[in-house]
Amino acid sequence: MLVDAVTDYAIYMLDPNGTITSWNPGARRFKGYEESEIIGENFSRFYTEEDRKTGLPQRALEVAEREGKFENEGWRVRKDGTQFWAYVVIDPIRDSAGTLVGFVKITRDLTERQQAEVALRENREQLRLLVQGVTDYAVYMLSPEGYVSSWNSGAERIKGYTPEEIIGQHFSRFYTEEDRQAGLPLQTIEIATREGRFEREGWRVRKDGTKFFANVVVDAIRNSDGSLLGFAKITRDITERMNAARELEEAREALFQSQKMEAIGQLTGGIAHDFNNLLMAIQGSLELLQRRLPADDPKVALLIDNALQGARRGAALTQRMLAFARRQELKLMPLDVRDVVQRMTNLLQSSLGPSVRVETHFPLELPKINADANQIELALLNLAINGRDAMPKGGTITIGAAKRTNVPGLKAGNYLCVSVTDTGTGMNEETLKRAMEPFFTTKGVGKGTGLGLPMVHGMAEQSGGKLLLKSELGRGTSAELCLPVATDELASAARDVTEHASRTVRKLAILTVDDDPLVALNTSALLEELGHTVFSAPSGLHALDILHREKKIDLMITDQLMPDMTGSELATRIRAENAHIPIILATGYAELAPGEGEGLPRLAKPFSQRELAEAIARAVTS
């Protein structure tokens, strides 16, 4: 009754030859045979064709008889031909005399379990293949002590070790020497053991000694009883991401610097415009006063000369500010760099002092550059003084030049690069990056304005060129001022201007227009001393009234920035009514919009009486 009640197991008897002598409901349920169909048949029909050919049924009975039990798992066949995975136990049955009378056979259908195990093996294999196939991540296992126990292809690609080289080695070899000395590998597995997970970013070392920036995750792997089996370690090379983040930050910083410099440039330009007007009044008045002083009062003459020097230094500082803002009025003309440097020799030597030796190296044939003579002299002087300050114990400053067709940051063309090289202390990378930033200086308080290099940089860019800096700590600095080569047409035009300026100008009726009364008074005084008749107007509208009233005005000198009507707008109105009157724009910097004041000669503020006379000569003889 017990055997007949069991349906999850096939329990039946065999005679010594393997013939079936009994059959329970469990056997009928999963083998498919009725009792009348199977009793008297040999049990070998339940085996697959392959197993019967190898004699497995007979061997099973022999083992059971010999050893007292046969136990095995394998595929068996149902009545309908389908197969199932069976767990089989065969026990021999003996009588009291020990004679074999048959066998009892118990079979259990383990197909579901076997399928689950196959699926598990397949999942494990898929997981192994997946982990092994990952190449963007180093995925590997560590023992509880930190020794590598598995190694995927991503780990081999990123770290450079083959599995044979690294399995069994301690994972600390991937850390830098500094991190190993600080105990970071041990801290990693301690934190992972205590908290279950460790994550950090830092530098790691490949087999060839190169470094990469890594994101590292270490997870503790525990058994069902909570005991530590080891660690799963996943490492990703994020060097490119870190570089991209750094480049983005540098781009943001560059944008911020650009916006800051633009704001400073706007502020500088506005201040310099007003400062130029003040210097115009001071310098002009001092020049007039100097010529009218009695010759027998040397102390007063000395004081006035000192004040004039101060005004000129203020004008030079203003030019630096405007050059940085790229708003100064440049007088571009063909220049021979050798002539410029030769004229400056005494000035350079006296400015640099006896501890600095100045050397020049120029090729025999050197093209002329298109630049402003005063600004080039000022730029070279600034670069030389910077070199001197970088050589506190003295040294050598070398001025040279070389032709180039390709200059970084400029379109292809013909350029002459004038270099000023010192043998000083040089600059580190951070200082070099900020060297052309306005008001940045490494000199002591009161020893530098921080506008020297920005002035040269601004002048170079406004002239269509570039300032290049090269420097290393302990190896000095080389500043290259690359400017466009002058064309033949420019050289011819420059000769014409010189000839016109040298001609004697007759006495004229001149209308001056300026909204600043100090500048207006000063300009009128300078013109009157030159023998001209002067009419002064505080605005464009007043100037038009004077022109309508006075029909014999020979020339007009007008400021550009004025309320209601700019100087260029006034010139346009006058040109519409009378195209013959010469007009000079007196401006503190290049404040005209593109196309504005086109064709009008310029006079840069602050100007001296000589510069004023030359401008008038050019205007009336052109």
Side-chain angles (χ1 to χ4, degrees):
M1 290 176 61
L2 175 63
V3 170
D4 285 344
V6 174
T7 58
D8 288 336
Y9 291 83
I11 304 174
Y12 50 98
M13 300 290 292
L14 305 175
D15 68 11
N17 298 316
T19 301
I20 299 170
T21 59
S22 70
W23 197 246
N24 82 322
R28 184 172 63 250
R29 185 178 70 82
F30 57 78
K31 290 189 183 265
Y33 293 95
E34 294 294 334
E35 186 176 2
S36 59
E37 294 177 303
I38 200 65
I39 289 178
E41 299 292 333
N42 194 280
F43 84 110
S44 61
R45 70 163 51 191
F46 304 140
Y47 286 76
T48 64
E49 183 66 26
E50 294 80 6
D51 287 346
R52 286 200 298 271
K53 287 179 180 180
T54 61
L56 179 59
Q58 186 60 36
R59 288 202 309 273
L61 297 181
E62 291 172 356
V63 171
E65 181 181 2
R66 185 176 63 250
E67 299 181 6
K69 186 174 187 177
F70 173 83
E71 189 172 2
N72 191 22
E73 290 185 9
W75 289 107
R76 298 296 182 267
V77 182
R78 294 187 178 94
K79 176 183 176 181
D80 61 8
T82 60
Q83 295 183 1
F84 66 98
W85 188 262
Y87 169 72
V88 176
V89 178
I90 300 176
D91 288 296
I93 306 297
R94 299 180 185 276
D95 60 16
S96 57
T99 304
L100 179 70
V101 297
F103 300 93
V104 60
K105 190 169 185 293
I106 302 174
T107 303
R108 186 179 185 187
D109 186 353
L110 297 181
T111 305
E112 291 183 359
R113 192 195 73 178
Q114 193 268 351
Q115 290 174 342
E117 289 177 350
V118 169
L120 179 59
R121 285 196 298 271
E122 290 177 349
N123 287 339
R124 285 174 177 170
E125 181 62 15
Q126 289 175 355
L127 180 60
R128 187 189 69 80
L129 293 174
L130 174 64
V131 171
Q132 189 61 28
V134 172
T135 58
D136 288 339
Y137 292 81
V139 183
Y140 53 99
M141 297 290 294
L142 302 178
S143 71
E145 295 78 23
Y147 292 94
V148 179
S149 57
S150 71
W151 196 247
N152 81 325
S153 57
E156 184 173 350
R157 185 186 70 83
I158 293 172
K159 302 199 180 221
Y161 295 94
T162 64
E164 295 75 19
E165 291 175 314
I166 200 63
I167 290 178
Q169 301 295 318
H170 201 270
F171 83 110
S172 60
R173 68 163 52 192
F174 308 137
Y175 287 73
T176 64
E177 183 62 31
E178 296 79 11
D179 286 346
R180 286 198 296 269
Q181 291 180 0
L184 185 58
L186 179 60
Q187 294 174 20
T188 298
I189 58 178
E190 285 178 348
I191 293 173
T193 302
R194 184 174 64 252
E195 302 179 6
R197 180 183 175 86
F198 172 89
E199 183 172 5
R200 187 169 295 179
E201 294 181 355
W203 290 104
R204 296 295 183 269
V205 183
R206 296 186 178 93
K207 176 185 174 182
D208 60 8
T210 59
K211 294 181 181 180
F212 66 99
F213 202 73
N215 172 266
V216 177
V217 178
V218 181
D219 287 291
I221 307 299
R222 296 186 179 277
N223 208 339
S224 57
D225 60 1
S227 60
L228 182 67
L229 295 176
F231 304 94
K233 192 168 187 292
I234 301 175
T235 302
R236 186 180 185 188
D237 183 352
I238 59 170
T239 308
E240 290 185 3
R241 190 188 77 182
M242 184 194 70
N243 290 338
R246 186 180 66 248
E247 289 172 1
L248 178 60
E249 185 60 31
E250 289 175 353
R252 287 174 177 167
E253 180 64 21
L255 176 61
F256 171 74
Q257 287 296 107
S258 175
Q259 292 171 336
K260 182 174 73 173
M261 291 178 72
E262 177 65 22
I264 293 174
Q266 294 287 347
L267 177 63
T268 299
I271 293 173
H273 173 265
D274 293 337
F275 196 34
N276 268 334
N277 283 341
L278 295 174
L279 289 171
M280 180 73 226
I282 295 170
Q283 183 176 312
S285 298
L286 287 171
E287 284 183 356
L288 292 172
L289 185 59
Q290 188 180 47
R291 284 193 289 275
R292 295 178 184 180
L293 276 176
D296 58 352
D297 197 345
K299 289 187 177 180
V300 175
L302 181 63
L303 290 173
I304 292 180
D305 186 61
N306 191 51
L308 268 173
Q309 289 186 36
R312 292 185 184 117
R313 287 178 63 181
L317 178 59
T318 307
Q319 288 300 308
R320 290 186 183 185
M321 296 168 68
L322 288 172
F324 157 67
R326 285 177 290 188
R327 296 182 178 185
Q328 85 272 36
E329 194 72 41
L330 296 183
K331 299 175 183 176
L332 300 180
M333 62 181 65
L335 296 175
D336 188 322
V337 173
R338 284 172 297 200
D339 290 345
V340 173
V341 174
Q342 189 174 5
R343 289 197 306 267
M344 294 179 63
T345 301
N346 293 334
L347 174 63
L348 283 171
Q349 200 59 68
S350 61
S351 300
L352 302 179
S355 64
V356 176
R357 183 171 66 256
V358 179
E359 295 181 357
T360 57
H361 295 287
F362 293 113
L364 294 176
E365 294 184 2
L366 202 62
K368 292 184 178 181
I369 57 173
N370 188 37
D372 182 300
N374 291 331
Q375 291 299 324
I376 286 293
E377 290 181 1
L378 186 59
L380 292 176
L381 182 60
N382 269 303
L383 295 177
I385 290 174
N386 280 346
R388 178 205 64 187
D389 293 342
M391 302 184 297
K393 296 182 180 180
T396 301
I397 288 179
T398 304
I399 303 176
K403 293 183 289 185
R404 287 193 194 175
T405 54
N406 290 303
V407 176
L410 297 177
K411 64 181 181 180
N414 294 317
Y415 299 92
L416 184 68
C417 293
V418 184
S419 61
V420 179
T421 305
D422 64 61
T423 57
T425 56
M427 293 180 278
N428 60 28
E429 187 176 346
E430 184 63 29
T431 303
L432 188 60
K433 285 181 180 179
R434 300 189 61 190
M436 286 187 276
E437 183 179 321
F439 307 114
F440 173 78
T441 179
T442 57
K443 302 174 185 178
V445 178
K447 295 184 179 180
T449 61
L451 285 173
L453 284 176
M455 181 279 293
V456 181
H457 170 69
M459 183 276 294
E461 292 203 348
Q462 191 173 358
S463 302
K466 190 87 173 176
L467 174 64
L468 304 176
L469 290 179
K470 298 177 184 177
S471 185
E472 287 185 41
L473 276 178
R475 296 192 176 184
T477 300
S478 177
E480 284 189 313
L481 182 58
C482 297
L483 297 170
V485 169
T487 61
D488 294 338
E489 291 82 1
L490 285 172
S492 176
R495 286 193 297 270
D496 292 342
V497 168
T498 303
E499 291 174 3
H500 290 161
S502 63
R503 295 176 187 172
T504 303
V505 179
R506 61 185 175 83
K507 306 309 177 187
L508 305 172
I510 299 176
L511 171 60
T512 65
V513 189
D514 202 306
D515 61 320
D516 190 315
L518 293 176
V519 177
L521 177 62
N522 181 79
T523 305
S524 297
L526 291 174
L527 290 170
E528 287 172 351
E529 190 174 70
L530 289 172
H532 301 297
T533 302
V534 180
F535 298 88
S536 182
S539 68
L541 292 175
H542 285 85
L544 290 173
D545 289 340
I546 293 174
L547 285 171
H548 292 151
R549 186 173 67 250
E550 301 291 337
K551 301 300 183 182
K552 293 184 179 181
I553 299 296
D554 300 305
L555 175 75
M556 183 178 75
I557 302 173
T558 178
D559 187 25
Q560 167 62 11
L561 286 184
M562 296 182 295
D564 301 326
M565 185 185 303
T566 65
S568 57
E569 289 171 344
L570 173 60
T572 302
R573 290 276 298 271
I574 295 172
R575 285 280 183 265
E577 299 176 9
N578 183 355
H580 303 293
I581 181 173
I583 301 173
I584 297 174
L585 274 181
T587 173
Y589 60 93
E591 60 214 4
L592 279 71
E596 191 177 17
E598 191 171 349
L600 295 177
R602 313 274 183 88
L603 179 60
K605 292 181 179 179
F607 49 81
S608 65
Q609 191 175 52
R610 180 183 60 82
E611 291 169 332
L612 178 61
E614 290 176 354
I616 294 171
R618 288 193 297 269
V620 298
T621 57
S622 60

